[in-house]
Amino acid sequence: QKEVEQDPGPLSVPEGAIVSLNCTYSNSAFQYFMWYRQYSRKGPELLMYTYSSGNKEDGRFTAQVDKSSKYISLFIRDSQPSDSATYLCAMRAYSGAGSYQLTFGKGTKLSVIP
Amino acid sequence: TAGITQAPTSQILAAGRSMTLRCTQDMRHNAMYWYRQDLGLGLRLIHYSNTAGTTGKGEVPDGYSVSRANTDDFPLTLASAVPSQTSVYFCASSVTRDTGELFFGEGSRLTVL
């Protein structure tokens, strides 16, 4: 079992829909959770991050973490064509001796159709 | 602000040739990273540097080398390219190694024939 699982999609939704993107993980040591957005032929950019279980909201985006279920989600409300991108989850764990492990999901490709 | 600048943007290289991918940051970040991104495999860490003068191996370091002579520059060298090194390479930086908040460059698309 891979440490981080993310459905690659592709996911296609109509403009205005609510989008739910998800990742599951197996490593209980992950403590810091992030979502990156990557437009076609561009580098990933950090969208949201959170340390704790629960919800964190930023405009149309909500990041949700459930550590007991080892499950994280990104919700996009009122989706726009400009949200069309690949979304990568990422998780960080302390791996000892001052080192940190950052693990990325493989990404979910989202298309928002006007 | 430029952030992370990578060069070249794309390159076609004959197998067996050497190549250096350049990466420069202007954010004075301590930590820098090289990732490769392949379809179906996602982002994989090649090498990293916690601070100028130090480097470390990531998940897929074989066939690659790095150096960190100063804070701003972190070149990635392929000594003798092979077709399996065909990929998109991303350089990234973060304030320190203990954060997951990475800033990525635009990528270098390398094809090895």
Side-chain angles (χ1 to χ4, degrees), chain B residues 16-29:
Chain B
R17 300 297 294 267
S18 66
M19 175 76 194
T20 294
L21 303 180
R22 301 184 297 279
C23 175
T24 299
Q25 55 116 346
D26 64 1
M27 297 174 283
R28 307 302 291 173
H29 285 173

PDB file of all heavy atoms in Angstrom, chain B residues 16-29:
ATOM      1  N   GLY B  16      23.787   9.315 -23.303  1.00  0.00           N
ATOM      2  CA  GLY B  16      25.223   9.305 -23.072  1.00  0.00           C
ATOM      3  C   GLY B  16      25.824  10.690 -22.890  1.00  0.00           C
ATOM      4  O   GLY B  16      26.951  10.805 -22.381  1.00  0.00           O
ATOM      5  N   ARG B  17      25.108  11.713 -23.284  1.00  0.00           N
ATOM      6  CA  ARG B  17      25.603  13.070 -23.110  1.00  0.00           C
ATOM      7  C   ARG B  17      25.333  13.564 -21.697  1.00  0.00           C
ATOM      8  O   ARG B  17      24.465  13.067 -20.996  1.00  0.00           O
ATOM      9  CB  ARG B  17      24.942  14.020 -24.117  1.00  0.00           C
ATOM     10  CG  ARG B  17      25.168  13.674 -25.573  1.00  0.00           C
ATOM     11  CD  ARG B  17      26.634  13.747 -25.944  1.00  0.00           C
ATOM     12  NE  ARG B  17      27.159  15.115 -25.878  1.00  0.00           N
ATOM     13  CZ  ARG B  17      27.209  15.939 -26.914  1.00  0.00           C
ATOM     14  NH1 ARG B  17      26.721  15.578 -28.084  1.00  0.00           N
ATOM     15  NH2 ARG B  17      27.746  17.134 -26.771  1.00  0.00           N
ATOM     16  N   SER B  18      26.070  14.560 -21.286  1.00  0.00           N
ATOM     17  CA  SER B  18      25.852  15.163 -19.967  1.00  0.00           C
ATOM     18  C   SER B  18      25.024  16.432 -20.113  1.00  0.00           C
ATOM     19  O   SER B  18      24.973  17.048 -21.176  1.00  0.00           O
ATOM     20  CB  SER B  18      27.192  15.477 -19.302  1.00  0.00           C
ATOM     21  OG  SER B  18      27.866  16.478 -20.024  1.00  0.00           O
ATOM     22  N   MET B  19      24.378  16.798 -19.023  1.00  0.00           N
ATOM     23  CA  MET B  19      23.478  17.956 -19.051  1.00  0.00           C
ATOM     24  C   MET B  19      23.383  18.528 -17.657  1.00  0.00           C
ATOM     25  O   MET B  19      23.317  17.759 -16.683  1.00  0.00           O
ATOM     26  CB  MET B  19      22.086  17.506 -19.516  1.00  0.00           C
ATOM     27  CG  MET B  19      21.016  18.577 -19.491  1.00  0.00           C
ATOM     28  SD  MET B  19      21.227  19.701 -20.873  1.00  0.00           S
ATOM     29  CE  MET B  19      20.166  21.040 -20.407  1.00  0.00           C
ATOM     30  N   THR B  20      23.378  19.838 -17.551  1.00  0.00           N
ATOM     31  CA  THR B  20      23.136  20.491 -16.263  1.00  0.00           C
ATOM     32  C   THR B  20      21.890  21.345 -16.360  1.00  0.00           C
ATOM     33  O   THR B  20      21.786  22.213 -17.240  1.00  0.00           O
ATOM     34  CB  THR B  20      24.338  21.359 -15.836  1.00  0.00           C
ATOM     35  OG1 THR B  20      25.468  20.510 -15.590  1.00  0.00           O
ATOM     36  CG2 THR B  20      24.017  22.124 -14.554  1.00  0.00           C
ATOM     37  N   LEU B  21      20.960  21.085 -15.475  1.00  0.00           N
ATOM     38  CA  LEU B  21      19.771  21.910 -15.355  1.00  0.00           C
ATOM     39  C   LEU B  21      20.041  22.961 -14.280  1.00  0.00           C
ATOM     40  O   LEU B  21      20.457  22.628 -13.165  1.00  0.00           O
ATOM     41  CB  LEU B  21      18.555  21.056 -14.961  1.00  0.00           C
ATOM     42  CG  LEU B  21      18.225  19.891 -15.901  1.00  0.00           C
ATOM     43  CD1 LEU B  21      17.011  19.128 -15.406  1.00  0.00           C
ATOM     44  CD2 LEU B  21      18.001  20.378 -17.319  1.00  0.00           C
ATOM     45  N   ARG B  22      19.766  24.211 -14.641  1.00  0.00           N
ATOM     46  CA  ARG B  22      20.091  25.292 -13.717  1.00  0.00           C
ATOM     47  C   ARG B  22      18.856  25.731 -12.928  1.00  0.00           C
ATOM     48  O   ARG B  22      17.726  25.686 -13.413  1.00  0.00           O
ATOM     49  CB  ARG B  22      20.654  26.478 -14.493  1.00  0.00           C
ATOM     50  CG  ARG B  22      21.923  26.111 -15.277  1.00  0.00           C
ATOM     51  CD  ARG B  22      22.527  27.318 -15.967  1.00  0.00           C
ATOM     52  NE  ARG B  22      21.658  27.917 -16.968  1.00  0.00           N
ATOM     53  CZ  ARG B  22      21.523  27.459 -18.199  1.00  0.00           C
ATOM     54  NH1 ARG B  22      22.166  26.369 -18.589  1.00  0.00           N
ATOM     55  NH2 ARG B  22      20.732  28.088 -19.055  1.00  0.00           N
ATOM     56  N   CYS B  23      19.108  26.139 -11.704  1.00  0.00           N
ATOM     57  CA  CYS B  23      18.035  26.604 -10.821  1.00  0.00           C
ATOM     58  C   CYS B  23      18.579  27.740  -9.969  1.00  0.00           C
ATOM     59  O   CYS B  23      19.615  27.568  -9.304  1.00  0.00           O
ATOM     60  CB  CYS B  23      17.532  25.478  -9.946  1.00  0.00           C
ATOM     61  SG  CYS B  23      16.301  26.022  -8.730  1.00  0.00           S
ATOM     62  N   THR B  24      17.877  28.870  -9.980  1.00  0.00           N
ATOM     63  CA  THR B  24      18.269  30.023  -9.172  1.00  0.00           C
ATOM     64  C   THR B  24      17.041  30.556  -8.464  1.00  0.00           C
ATOM     65  O   THR B  24      15.982  30.682  -9.069  1.00  0.00           O
ATOM     66  CB  THR B  24      18.871  31.130 -10.053  1.00  0.00           C
ATOM     67  OG1 THR B  24      20.032  30.632 -10.711  1.00  0.00           O
ATOM     68  CG2 THR B  24      19.243  32.341  -9.219  1.00  0.00           C
ATOM     69  N   GLN B  25      17.213  30.885  -7.176  1.00  0.00           N
ATOM     70  CA  GLN B  25      16.113  31.477  -6.423  1.00  0.00           C
ATOM     71  C   GLN B  25      16.545  32.821  -5.861  1.00  0.00           C
ATOM     72  O   GLN B  25      17.713  33.034  -5.569  1.00  0.00           O
ATOM     73  CB  GLN B  25      15.654  30.538  -5.306  1.00  0.00           C
ATOM     74  CG  GLN B  25      16.750  30.105  -4.348  1.00  0.00           C
ATOM     75  CD  GLN B  25      16.564  30.564  -2.919  1.00  0.00           C
ATOM     76  OE1 GLN B  25      15.755  31.428  -2.615  1.00  0.00           O
ATOM     77  NE2 GLN B  25      17.339  29.970  -2.007  1.00  0.00           N
ATOM     78  N   ASP B  26      15.577  33.725  -5.734  1.00  0.00           N
ATOM     79  CA  ASP B  26      15.886  35.063  -5.211  1.00  0.00           C
ATOM     80  C   ASP B  26      15.146  35.346  -3.906  1.00  0.00           C
ATOM     81  O   ASP B  26      14.945  36.507  -3.537  1.00  0.00           O
ATOM     82  CB  ASP B  26      15.569  36.120  -6.270  1.00  0.00           C
ATOM     83  CG  ASP B  26      14.093  36.178  -6.627  1.00  0.00           C
ATOM     84  OD1 ASP B  26      13.292  35.413  -6.051  1.00  0.00           O
ATOM     85  OD2 ASP B  26      13.732  36.989  -7.510  1.00  0.00           O
ATOM     86  N   MET B  27      14.730  34.290  -3.218  1.00  0.00           N
ATOM     87  CA  MET B  27      13.954  34.452  -1.994  1.00  0.00           C
ATOM     88  C   MET B  27      14.799  34.225  -0.738  1.00  0.00           C
ATOM     89  O   MET B  27      14.279  34.321   0.379  1.00  0.00           O
ATOM     90  CB  MET B  27      12.781  33.466  -2.014  1.00  0.00           C
ATOM     91  CG  MET B  27      11.807  33.736  -3.147  1.00  0.00           C
ATOM     92  SD  MET B  27      10.508  32.499  -3.301  1.00  0.00           S
ATOM     93  CE  MET B  27      11.403  31.160  -4.074  1.00  0.00           C
ATOM     94  N   ARG B  28      16.083  33.915  -0.927  1.00  0.00           N
ATOM     95  CA  ARG B  28      17.004  33.645   0.180  1.00  0.00           C
ATOM     96  C   ARG B  28      16.526  32.483   1.049  1.00  0.00           C
ATOM     97  O   ARG B  28      16.794  32.440   2.257  1.00  0.00           O
ATOM     98  CB  ARG B  28      17.206  34.899   1.061  1.00  0.00           C
ATOM     99  CG  ARG B  28      17.618  36.146   0.305  1.00  0.00           C
ATOM    100  CD  ARG B  28      18.922  35.919  -0.456  1.00  0.00           C
ATOM    101  NE  ARG B  28      20.069  35.765   0.417  1.00  0.00           N
ATOM    102  CZ  ARG B  28      21.286  35.434   0.017  1.00  0.00           C
ATOM    103  NH1 ARG B  28      21.527  35.192  -1.270  1.00  0.00           N
ATOM    104  NH2 ARG B  28      22.278  35.326   0.873  1.00  0.00           N
ATOM    105  N   HIS B  29      15.851  31.525   0.400  1.00  0.00           N
ATOM    106  CA  HIS B  29      15.431  30.336   1.124  1.00  0.00           C
ATOM    107  C   HIS B  29      16.622  29.445   1.434  1.00  0.00           C
ATOM    108  O   HIS B  29      17.551  29.314   0.619  1.00  0.00           O
ATOM    109  CB  HIS B  29      14.406  29.557   0.304  1.00  0.00           C
ATOM    110  CG  HIS B  29      13.058  30.187   0.291  1.00  0.00           C
ATOM    111  ND1 HIS B  29      12.029  29.723  -0.509  1.00  0.00           N
ATOM    112  CD2 HIS B  29      12.548  31.230   0.978  1.00  0.00           C
ATOM    113  CE1 HIS B  29      10.943  30.464  -0.291  1.00  0.00           C
ATOM    114  NE2 HIS B  29      11.246  31.386   0.603  1.00  0.00           N
TER     115      HIS B  29
END
